[in-house]
Amino acid sequence: LRVAHLLCGKEMGGIATVLFTLIREKKSFSDLIIIALKKTELTEEISRRGAKLKIIPAGFIINPVSLLQILFFIRKNRIAIIHTHSVFPHIYGLLIKICSPKMLFVAHVHADIYRELISNVSSPLKRKIYYFASFLGLRVCDAIVAISGAVRTDLIKKGTSPQKIRVVYNGIDVEKIEK
């Protein structure tokens, strides 16, 4: 199955570690594709490491043109699973699931969603709208990966179905330790 990891491009820390581990462990990149909504240092590093990367500029807004480009790219590349990694990608995951109900949608929750919005969105009204849309995405997704028991508990308190949440702890970036 071909998996596309959808990022906003600004990710760092645990998200970058997850992606770099996936890239390092894959023998063939034919089934691992990364779609980013913005070109950043992270996307440049992903490209340097040899992963298949598609940048579809959207920034931190929900852009209908970008959504159509993502949908076209997914269909063209016969992607079976969309795996999102932060608030804006979760919202795009929701819209992709609405447009392509057979697509499997996995949301990876790395931190408290509201804290992520506070650091990226200045307008309180936009924060509320994105927060609601992001949680709607978590409700319609097929599975959720939480990085800790605390994140899982927080998601359940906020109304997410416990049956769809699996805890997968972030790994350690072995390359950094070996250096």
Side-chain angles (χ1 to χ4, degrees), residues 12-179:
M12 52 197 300
I15 299 172
T17 301
V18 167
L19 294 169
F20 294 149
T21 301
L22 285 170
I23 292 167
R24 186 177 57 246
E25 298 301 320
K26 289 308 259 178
K27 304 299 181 221
S28 164
F29 292 109
S30 64
D31 59 349
L32 174 66
I33 299 169
I34 298 171
I35 303 170
L37 303 175
K38 187 176 187 178
K39 185 176 181 177
T40 63
E41 289 179 24
L42 174 64
T43 59
E44 289 175 8
E45 181 62 26
I46 287 168
S47 184
R48 275 193 296 277
R49 293 183 185 214
K52 184 172 183 180
L53 173 68
K54 174 71 174 173
I55 297 176
I56 299 176
F60 294 108
I61 59 168
I62 304 306
N63 182 332
V65 173
S66 297
L67 175 63
L68 290 173
Q69 290 174 332
I70 293 168
L71 288 167
F72 178 76
F73 182 81
I74 286 170
R75 287 196 179 112
K76 179 181 172 193
N77 289 278
R78 299 185 319 277
I79 293 167
I81 301 169
I82 190 77
H83 187 142
T84 61
H85 286 274
S86 59
V87 171
F88 294 98
H90 295 334
I91 297 169
Y92 275 99
L94 164 67
L95 298 171
I96 290 165
K97 185 73 173 177
I98 290 168
C99 296
S100 301
K102 292 182 182 180
M103 170 77 55
L104 292 176
F105 170 23
V106 177
H108 204 128
V109 181
H110 296 265
D112 179 270
I113 290 172
Y114 196 71
R115 279 193 217 145
E116 185 180 340
L117 283 168
I118 288 172
S119 63
N120 288 308
V121 180
S122 59
S123 164
L125 178 60
K126 284 184 181 179
R127 264 198 303 264
K128 287 179 182 177
I129 292 168
Y130 290 152
Y131 184 75
F132 173 77
S134 181
F135 265 97
L136 193 56
L138 295 178
R139 288 188 185 208
V140 303
C141 70
D142 298 290
I144 298 171
V145 176
I147 62 134
S148 69
V151 170
R152 180 182 190 277
T153 300
D154 185 54
L155 290 169
I156 292 168
K157 282 181 185 175
K158 292 177 179 166
T160 305
S161 170
Q163 290 77 22
K164 67 169 59 175
I165 304 171
R166 297 292 177 264
V167 175
V168 178
Y169 297 97
N170 278 345
I172 299 169
D173 190 344
V174 178
E175 289 178 354
K176 285 184 180 178
I177 293 172
E178 289 175 348
K179 291 180 184 180

